[in-house]
Amino acid sequence: MAKKVILSCEKCGSRNYSMPAKSSNEAQRLELKKFCTHCNEHTVHKQTL
Ligand SMILES: [Zn+2]
């Protein structure tokens, strides 16, 4: 079963990105700097559960 990780902007909460989850990373929450089209800037995107 393929698990998916959804990344949401920490600033505005928009769910901008999704990617296949890696089982090795399941223990820790992903935190990536990504471009948010709502904030129009790069913000920290955190994995939603
Ligand atoms: Zn945002």
Side-chain angles (χ1 to χ4, degrees), residues 11-38:
K11 240 180 164 181
C12 70
S14 290
R15 296 177 174 196
N16 298 316
Y17 297 94
S18 66
M19 59 182 69
K22 291 173 188 167
S23 53
S24 56
N25 282 346
E26 259 178 48
Q28 71 184 89
R29 272 212 220 181
L30 284 172
E31 259 189 61
L32 296 171
K33 261 212 157 178
K34 295 264 195 185
F35 186 79
C36 176
T37 52
H38 296 261

Side-chain angles (χ1 to χ4, degrees), residues 8-14 16 36-41 43 45:
S8 63
C9 171
E10 216 189 16
K11 240 180 164 181
C12 70
S14 290
N16 298 316
C36 176
T37 52
H38 296 261
C39 300
N40 205 34
E41 61 179 325
T43 62
H45 283 67

